[in-house]
Amino acid sequence: MSYDLFSGSPRSSEGTWERLCQVAVKGAEYDSPERQPHPRCLEGTRVTLLDDIYQSLDNPERSQLIWLHGMAGVGKSAVAFSVAERMRGLRITEQTKTETRLAGTFFFSRKKPNRSTTGYFFATLAYQLACNFPSVREDLNRAIRDNPALLDPNKSLRDQMEGLFLRPLRGLQFRLSNCLPSAFVIDALDECVSKTELTNLISLLDQALHEPNLPVIHILLTSRSENHIRKAIQQTEGISTVIISLDGAADVDKDIRKFLEHSFVELESHPGFPQPTADELAQLTSRAGRRFIVAFTMMKFIEYGYQDPRDRLQVMLRFTSELLPGKEVYELYNRILATCADPVRAYLHLSVVAALADPLPIRQISELLGPGEGIDVERTLAQLRSVIDIPTDSSLPVNIYHSSVRDYVSDPS
């Protein structure tokens, strides 16, 4: 026998698992193709920060909520990806060949409806948890058969947590009793569009970590330092919460310089590509303002375009001396637009790409803008390759590299 997704009629375990697989948001997984190019920490950078996080994740004594926060562009998603990748590579015991310490990931995104809400959060984690620990699959099947509405994104988040998260984890208490803790990595909380939903989620996750019949687990959260998130974190139990700020970290300048050096070496094989002097590298590093997105965009700007890359390097060196602390990325976007043949048209096209809930390929963007404004979309966007990812396949959608571009085009100033 079978039932529709929310009808409540009996269904086989196989059919129930299929429904969970359909509801789980694959694009929210840390290594999803939907999120390419994946941000990751360059080897040899963020060493102290990552060591501190790994030390917390290895703590076998009690479950912890670890909040990593910082302003836009400081590299939070790169850290989240690197942590998830490392945990995925660690087995829970020396004997097992498949079960890893990465229990699940969810990377929020305002641009994707099913990743901008908490409605699919626990179903997605449950799916990944059961893929990693097949022994809990029957617990999940039973929970969904008992209450098929658990897979409805409008169902109570507390009920979803109980049936899809706590129930299978309780089944792992004995299995993981002598193992190093498993970890969940949740990135970009600030990309959740509902502040109420998000504060409720943080509160529920904190409650989950205090469940007495669960194995020790750790949850890494990353976000900007927004007031509603900070208040929600402050209301969690202090003894089980670790707070790490990326703003003003002492080793960031060194890491950014290392990133710039690596990037220039990578591009050294390009004919005529410039290699900056030590003083020029120091200037670029300083004016990045401890924000990796600024350094990344500088390199994209120098690499791409119709001008000689040496000229584009000089553009970066000239304008960086005028930057104000904290305004680096906005001023950088201003200067990139100023180099376009028609800055006003370029700003319009950039605004459209940044505002679209579902990214579109260039041809459809041109159709959306109409016969007037839609002229030369491909040529205009090509001048913005330092801030927009343009696939080589023209049928694929174009997208912004970083959420700070969306902030930039929507800022009235």
Side-chain angles (χ1 to χ4, degrees):
M1 299 178 69
S2 64
Y3 61 60
D4 292 333
L5 184 55
F6 307 125
S7 68
S9 304
R11 169 178 281 279
S12 69
S13 294
E14 181 180 352
T16 306
W17 173 248
E18 289 174 355
R19 289 300 184 271
L20 178 61
C21 294
Q22 292 168 4
V23 171
V25 182
K26 312 305 186 299
E29 297 180 35
Y30 86 99
D31 57 351
S32 166
E34 182 178 294
R35 300 185 52 258
Q36 290 180 332
H38 296 130
R40 52 161 52 89
C41 297
L42 179 68
E43 186 176 356
T45 64
R46 299 297 203 189
V47 174
T48 301
L49 170 68
L50 290 171
D51 284 347
D52 289 345
I53 293 174
Y54 298 146
Q55 185 175 354
S56 293
L57 295 177
D58 286 344
N59 183 350
E61 299 301 321
R62 61 175 180 272
S63 298
Q64 296 177 114
L65 204 62
I66 305 165
W67 181 40
L68 178 69
H69 67 89
M71 69 176 77
V74 294
K76 301 181 294 296
S77 292
V79 172
F81 181 93
S82 296
V83 171
E85 195 170 49
R86 173 185 166 87
M87 299 306 286
R88 179 68 175 270
L90 298 176
R91 304 294 180 233
I92 62 166
T93 67
E94 294 182 359
Q95 289 73 35
T96 183
K97 295 182 179 180
T98 57
E99 298 169 324
T100 77
R101 290 183 58 195
L102 184 66
T105 60
F106 196 100
F107 280 51
F108 282 95
S109 172
R110 193 181 302 267
K111 293 184 71 67
K112 296 291 182 179
N114 55 5
R115 290 170 54 199
S116 65
T117 173
T118 60
Y120 301 92
F121 180 82
F122 284 115
T124 301
L125 292 189
Y127 163 75
Q128 295 175 61
L129 185 67
C131 287
N132 192 45
F133 299 104
S135 62
V136 306
R137 191 173 296 182
E138 184 50 41
D139 285 333
L140 274 171
N141 287 333
R142 192 177 301 111
I144 296 168
R145 288 198 301 271
D146 292 345
N147 188 357
L150 289 175
L151 299 184
D152 185 340
N154 294 313
K155 179 63 175 168
S156 157
L157 198 61
R158 182 180 294 277
D159 289 347
Q160 289 181 330
M161 182 178 76
E162 172 60 37
L164 301 175
F165 189 67
L166 297 181
R167 190 164 173 173
L169 280 174
R170 291 187 190 110
L172 289 172
Q173 184 181 26
F174 177 76
R175 173 77 178 85
L176 301 180
S177 59
N178 295 315
C179 304
L180 284 171
S182 295
F184 293 90
V185 178
I186 317 302
D187 183 57
L189 294 177
D190 50 281
E191 291 283 298
C192 180
V193 295
S194 170
K195 294 181 180 180
T196 302
E197 279 188 18
L198 185 60
T199 53
N200 185 32
L201 175 63
I202 293 172
S203 175
L204 288 173
L205 290 176
D206 177 58
Q207 294 174 36
L209 295 186
H210 290 83
E211 278 271 326
N213 299 319
L214 259 58
V216 175
I217 60 171
H218 300 310
I219 303 177
L220 174 66
L221 308 173
T222 78
S223 77
R224 300 188 192 188
S225 308
E226 297 190 355
N227 286 336
H228 66 288
I229 300 176
R230 181 175 294 279
K231 289 179 180 178
I233 294 291
Q234 288 173 343
Q235 291 173 2
T236 63
E237 293 292 335
I239 194 170
S240 61
T241 304
V242 177
I243 299 178
I244 303 173
S245 174
L246 277 180
D247 294 335
D251 59 351
V252 174
D253 287 339
K254 179 185 68 177
D255 288 345
I256 286 180
R257 177 159 183 149
K258 185 173 292 187
F259 166 79
L260 290 170
E261 289 173 343
H262 172 81
S263 299
F264 278 111
V265 169
E266 286 286 298
L267 296 170
E268 195 172 17
S269 60
H270 290 214
F273 200 84
Q275 289 299 306
T277 65
D279 287 344
E280 289 172 336
L281 267 175
Q283 185 179 349
L284 292 173
T285 300
S286 173
R287 302 317 297 166
R290 297 188 169 182
R291 301 175 79 172
F292 274 91
I293 188 57
V294 177
F296 172 85
T297 307
M298 283 178 177
M299 291 308 306
K300 288 292 184 185
F301 178 80
I302 295 168
E303 176 184 1
Y304 290 127
Y306 304 111
Q307 297 172 297
D308 188 307
R310 288 168 293 193
D311 293 337
R312 295 171 78 83
L313 172 60
Q314 291 305 312
V315 170
M316 290 291 98
L317 289 169
R318 284 196 302 271
F319 100 92
T320 52
S321 63
E322 303 166 6
L323 290 179
L324 298 175
K327 299 294 184 181
E328 294 85 1
V329 72
Y330 280 12
E331 293 295 333
L332 178 57
Y333 295 154
N334 278 341
R335 181 49 61 99
I336 290 171
L337 281 171
T339 65
C340 295
D342 186 341
V344 174
R345 183 180 294 275
Y347 176 78
L348 170 66
H349 292 175
L350 178 62
S351 299
V352 170
V353 172
L356 288 171
D358 290 311
L360 297 174
I362 288 177
R363 180 181 59 80
Q364 293 183 27
I365 293 174
S366 180
E367 293 173 356
L368 178 67
L369 288 168
E373 298 294 353
I375 297 175
D376 288 338
V377 169
E378 183 173 5
R379 181 179 178 184
T380 302
L381 292 183
Q383 299 171 65
L384 296 170
R385 283 184 176 273
S386 54
V387 294
I388 295 177
D389 180 26
I390 304 177
T392 53
D393 184 345
S394 61
S395 67
L396 296 177
V398 299
N399 208 342
I400 56 175
Y401 277 120
H402 193 263
S403 60
S404 59
V405 178
R406 185 178 61 242
D407 299 337
Y408 168 75
V409 300
S410 61
D411 190 325
S413 64

